[in-house]
Every structure is written in structure tokens, then in C-alpha cells.
């Protein structure tokens, strides 16, 4: 299938970088643990912060922090805490500042999550336990959120 109707996204990611990477394989697991019927699984907690540049109000910083938490009745293979920061600029005007901030939070966190997902998978792929692949997630709030199709 050829995609011919490619549209410019509402935001442009200027750059992203990792400001914190904490990664440790769980060395307390025993042979009995691994031989048990418990699967290797993790819970994940995500924290998103959006900041605006004082000198350039159209430049926004999104900070995404992901922490791996222990899941009940599962083996925790790794302790992971990662923080990734991205700089975003809108590519079009928005009706309100609230709509712009919502779009930055949703799209910014989604793009950074994808980068963190690949980074964590790459790190854990070479570890002693099965690799960690973050689950698909959505950063759209449960209540009504701005639609990516709206705006000027």
C-alpha cells in the first residue's frame, strides 16, 4: 500500500535526549525462581511534565519519566528508571493555548515513549533475562481531549 496523502503533523520534535538512564538486572533471582511458573512481567509508571521556554513561547519541553515497578505474581527481571526530554514546536496555529498544551502533552509524550521503548528494549536485549518491551499506551486523558484534526 502506498501512502500518498502525507500531512504535516501539528508538532515538530526538534530534538530529544535521555537525561537519566538507570538500569540494573535483578541479580537476586534464583534458579528456582526462573524455573517456577511465574512469568517475567513488569508494571510501568509514566510521569509527564510540559514546560514552555520563557525566551521562545512556541518552544516547549516535554519530560517523560518511566519507572519499572514490580508486578504481583511475576518475576521482575530489571530495575529501570529512564527520563527522556524532547523539544517541540507547533507547525500550525491552535485555537487556544489549552488545545496547544494538550496536543504537546499527548503527541510529545507519545513520541518520547516510542524512543524510550526502543532504548529499553535494546538495553535489556543483551541482559541475562528476557528483554523488556514496554506495552502500547495512550497519553490521551480519559476525559475529552483535543483532537489532532482540529485547529487552524
Amino acid at each position: 500500500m502506498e501512502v500518498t496523502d502525507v500531512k504535516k503533523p501539528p508538532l515538530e520534535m526538534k530534538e530529544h535526549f535521555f537525561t537519566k538512564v538507570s538500569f540494573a538486572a535483578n541479580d537476586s533471582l534464583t534458579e528456582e525462581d526462573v524455573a517456577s511458573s511465574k512469568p517475567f512481567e513488569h508494571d510501568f509508571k509514566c510521569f509527564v511534565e510540559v514546560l514552555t521556554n520563557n525566551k521562545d513561547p512556541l518552544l516547549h519541553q516535554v519530560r517523560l519519566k518511566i519507572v519499572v515497578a514490580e508486578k504481583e505474581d511475576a518475576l521482575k527481571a530489571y530495575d529501570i528508571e529512564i527520563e527522556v526530554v524532547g523539544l517541540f514546536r507547533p507547525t500550525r496555529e491552535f485555537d487556544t493555548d489549552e488545545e496547544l498544551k494538550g496536543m504537546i502533552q499527548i503527541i510529545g509524550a507519545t513520541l518520547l515513549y516510542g524512543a524510550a521503548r526502543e532504548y529499553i528494549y535494546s538495553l535489556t536485549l543483551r541482559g541475562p533475562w528476557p528483554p523488556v518491551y514496554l506495552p502500547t499506551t495512550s497519553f490521551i486523558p480519559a476525559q475529552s481531549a483535543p483532537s489532532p484534526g482540529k485547529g487552524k
Side-chain angles (χ1 to χ4, degrees), residues 11-52:
L11 294 177
E12 173 183 43
M13 183 163 61
K14 304 300 282 177
E15 65 178 301
H16 75 283
F17 44 89
F18 293 88
T19 55
K20 180 175 186 172
V21 177
S22 176
F23 166 82
N26 185 351
D27 61 0
S28 68
L29 292 176
T30 65
E31 287 182 30
E32 291 82 27
D33 291 331
V34 176
S36 75
S37 60
K38 287 184 177 181
F40 281 99
E41 290 182 4
H42 304 84
D43 274 337
F44 302 92
K45 295 185 186 334
C46 295
F47 306 91
V48 180
E49 181 181 23
V50 178
L51 302 169
T52 302

Side-chain angles (χ1 to χ4, degrees), residues 76-111:
K76 183 179 178 186
Y78 301 96
D79 286 316
I80 300 169
E81 184 176 331
I82 194 164
E83 189 173 275
V84 59
V85 173
L87 300 178
F88 297 87
R89 184 179 298 281
T91 59
R92 62 174 174 80
E93 289 185 30
F94 287 84
D95 293 334
T96 65
D97 284 343
E98 193 174 288
E99 182 185 14
L100 172 61
K101 297 257 192 235
M103 191 64 60
I104 289 169
Q105 182 170 338
I106 293 166
I107 293 177
T110 300
L111 290 172

Side-chain angles (χ1 to χ4, degrees), residues 59-71:
L59 187 63
H60 301 271
Q61 175 181 293
V62 177
R63 182 181 312 266
L64 174 65
K65 180 178 175 181
I66 301 171
V67 178
V68 173
E70 196 163 343
K71 190 172 188 174

